[in-house]
């Protein structure tokens, strides 16, 4: 399948993450996308450059206030002198509009950039630097270009993008994500096709941003398999199986948490359940949020999926036989992620082939 790419991802160096108040080395590094692209190119993939898309496609899934904030936060941080005093070289929030603080009052957008940062970021780990906006915006273009290719007749396309997106909601961001690439691709497919679009998120972490974007929307089915947040894992507050959608979207959201330490068997059973769900609901297209951080050896999760497990997951997803956009999410073991993505996409092509047999 074609692999969509943008060099502009390199403009985003998170510069670490502030975790429990300490600046620690980040894992969402430019080398991630480079490793994945190289492995796919070596396996013979055709690399296609992303096309620029207008902001309207971003605004299908994000609030204009978030887009405006992300586009200007870095220059405002610098202009406020914060890089000099106190000497912080990334945008880092310090105060948040906690629901208990507000008692139902909607929060003002703070005048100070130092406080505005907490209006839009829900964690301290997702830092903004000089090239963050351009890279995040390019990642959406990568996902939208992959959706365009599928709408033009490719049976599948892979968006090799970073920064990742599935933790970004309509009006807030976090979890190393700024704009929700997979959600933008799903909205594009939904706008162009009849019938619901299914998003199946196999990143090790719950796709809370994608869930939130489509929570009341019956046109996008959102399913996620991930390490159980109830066992102490990010995003902590969300990702439980009782979250099933609301309003017109009631029943259109499905979470399958798995225990820390789970490997191929439990994870593949969860994927099979989501595949069956998408089939029963007669999805007309599929977006796979492909994080490969559920692999054994990944520094960000306690799951233990093997390369063969990723191939089998790809096969199960491909067997749906739907037009498929695959979007890169997490995956942080630089020595493994190229192989893991190659296996998952190879499995998906086998699955798509098998779905064509009479
Ligand atoms: C897209 C994606 O996979 N995002 C993952 C975000 C999960 N990050 C949670 C980090 C929790 C604290 N990790 C401590 C590492 C210290 N550097
Ligand atoms: Zn993840």
């Amino acid at each position: 399948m074609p692999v969509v790419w943008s060099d502009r991802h390199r403009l985003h160096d998170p510069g670490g993450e502030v975790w429990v108040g300490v600046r620690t080395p980040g894992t969402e590094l430019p080398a991630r996308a480079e490793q994945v692209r190289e492995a796919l190119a070596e396996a013979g993939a055709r690399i296609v450059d992303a096309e620029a898309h207008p902001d309207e496609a971003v605004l299908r899934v994000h609030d204009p206030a978030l887009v405006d904030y992300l586009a200007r936060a870095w220059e405002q941080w610098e202009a406020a002198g914060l890089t000099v005093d106190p000497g912080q070289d990334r945008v880092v929030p310090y105060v948040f509009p906690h629901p208990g603080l507000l008692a139902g009052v909607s929060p003002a957008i703070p005048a100070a950039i130092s406080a505005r940062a907490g209006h839009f970021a829900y964690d301290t780990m997702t830092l903004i630097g000089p090239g963050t906006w351009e890279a995040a915006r390019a990642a959406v273009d990568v996902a939208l270009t992959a959706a365009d290719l599928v709408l033009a007749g490719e049976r599948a396309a892979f968006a090799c993008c970073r920064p990742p997106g599935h933790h970004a909601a309509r009006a807030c961001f976090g979890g190393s994500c700024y704009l929700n690439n997979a959600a933008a691709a799903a909205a594009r497919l939904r706008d162009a096709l009849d019938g619901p679009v299914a998003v199946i998120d196999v990143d090790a972490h719950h796709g809370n941003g994608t869930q939130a974007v489509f929570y009341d929307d019956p046109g996008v089915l959102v399913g996620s398999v991930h390490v159980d947040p109830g066992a102490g894992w990010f995003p902590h507050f969300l990702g439980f199986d009782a979250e099933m959608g609301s309003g017109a979207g009631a029943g259109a959201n499905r979470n399958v948490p798995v225990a820390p330490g789970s490997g191929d068997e439990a994870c593949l059973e969860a994927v099979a359940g989501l595949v069956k769900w998408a089939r029963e609901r007669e999805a007309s297209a599929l977006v796979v949020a492909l994080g490969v951080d559920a692999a054994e050896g990944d520094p960000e999760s306690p799951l233990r999926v093997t390369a063969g497990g990723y191939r089998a997951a790809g096969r199960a997803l491909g067997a749906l036989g739907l037009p498929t956009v695959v979007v890169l999410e997490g995956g942080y073991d630089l020595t493994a992620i190229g192989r893991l993505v190659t296996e998952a996409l190879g499995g998906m092509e086998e699955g798509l082939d098998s779905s064509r047999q009479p």
Side-chain angles (χ1 to χ4, degrees), residues 220-275:
V220 181
L221 309 165
V222 178
S224 180
V225 48
H226 46 265
V227 62
D228 186 0
W233 292 86
F234 188 89
H236 302 288
F237 303 101
L238 291 160
F240 298 93
D241 59 11
E243 296 153 24
M244 304 202 313
S246 66
N253 193 84
R254 188 156 161 169
N255 287 325
V256 189
V258 297
S262 296
D264 291 352
E265 197 179 326
C267 292
L268 288 170
E269 189 185 316
V271 170
L274 294 174
V275 164

Side-chain angles (χ1 to χ4, degrees), residues 138-197:
V140 179
D141 283 331
V142 171
L144 291 168
T145 301
D148 290 343
L149 287 169
V150 166
L151 289 171
E154 293 282 351
R155 63 181 188 168
F158 176 57
C160 189
C161 52
R162 69 167 284 280
H166 75 148
H167 296 305
R170 269 190 194 273
C172 64
F173 71 99
S176 305
C177 302
Y178 303 86
L179 296 171
N180 196 319
N181 313 311
R188 190 168 202 79
L189 295 175
R190 181 207 40 203
D191 289 350
L193 300 172
D194 290 331
V197 171

Side-chain angles (χ1 to χ4, degrees), residues 5-302:
W5 174 259
S6 170
D7 282 336
R8 285 196 288 164
H9 84 83
R10 294 172 191 146
L11 297 169
H12 172 57
D13 172 3
E17 53 184 45
V18 176
W19 183 64
V20 300
V22 178
R23 183 88 165 247
T24 60
T27 49
E28 202 293 286
L29 300 169
R32 297 178 57 246
E34 304 291 334
Q35 293 288 347
V36 171
R37 186 188 69 155
E38 270 166 40
L40 293 171
E42 205 161 299
R46 172 167 62 101
I47 313 286
V48 180
D49 256 317
E51 303 235 353
H53 287 70
D55 280 345
E56 280 83 86
V58 181
L59 296 169
R60 296 292 289 142
V61 296
H62 289 294
D63 193 297
L66 174 65
V67 173
D68 184 61
Y69 168 74
L70 289 172
R72 293 172 338 127
W74 172 251
E75 68 185 48
Q76 293 173 346
W77 187 264
E78 255 198 322
L82 292 157
T83 55
V84 178
D85 177 12
Q88 178 55 271
D89 70 351
R90 292 291 186 277
V91 178
V92 186
Y94 89 101
V95 63
F96 302 89
H98 192 285
L101 171 73
L102 299 168
V105 176
S106 34
I109 298 188
I113 179 66
S114 56
R116 202 147 64 242
H119 187 96
F120 295 102
Y122 60 77
D123 66 36
T124 61
M125 304 183 300
T126 310
L127 311 188
I128 295 174
T132 299
W133 165 249
E134 213 182 332
R137 186 61 183 77
V140 179
D141 283 331
V142 171
L144 291 168
T145 301
D148 290 343
L149 287 169
V150 166
L151 289 171
E154 293 282 351
R155 63 181 188 168
F158 176 57
C160 189
C161 52
R162 69 167 284 280
H166 75 148
H167 296 305
R170 269 190 194 273
C172 64
F173 71 99
S176 305
C177 302
Y178 303 86
L179 296 171
N180 196 319
N181 313 311
R188 190 168 202 79
L189 295 175
R190 181 207 40 203
D191 289 350
L193 300 172
D194 290 331
V197 171
V199 178
I200 298 184
D201 186 320
V202 301
D203 186 278
H205 305 96
H206 174 233
N208 62 291
T210 316
Q211 166 172 303
V213 167
F214 298 117
Y215 208 57
D216 58 7
D217 184 346
V220 181
L221 309 165
V222 178
S224 180
V225 48
H226 46 265
V227 62
D228 186 0
W233 292 86
F234 188 89
H236 302 288
F237 303 101
L238 291 160
F240 298 93
D241 59 11
E243 296 153 24
M244 304 202 313
S246 66
N253 193 84
R254 188 156 161 169
N255 287 325
V256 189
V258 297
S262 296
D264 291 352
E265 197 179 326
C267 292
L268 288 170
E269 189 185 316
V271 170
L274 294 174
V275 164
K276 182 165 177 274
W277 182 60
R279 188 179 286 123
E280 283 166 1
R281 295 258 173 161
E282 299 185 331
S284 56
L286 175 66
V287 174
V288 178
L290 177 63
V292 291
D293 47 1
E296 189 162 29
D298 192 280
E300 295 286 352
S301 106

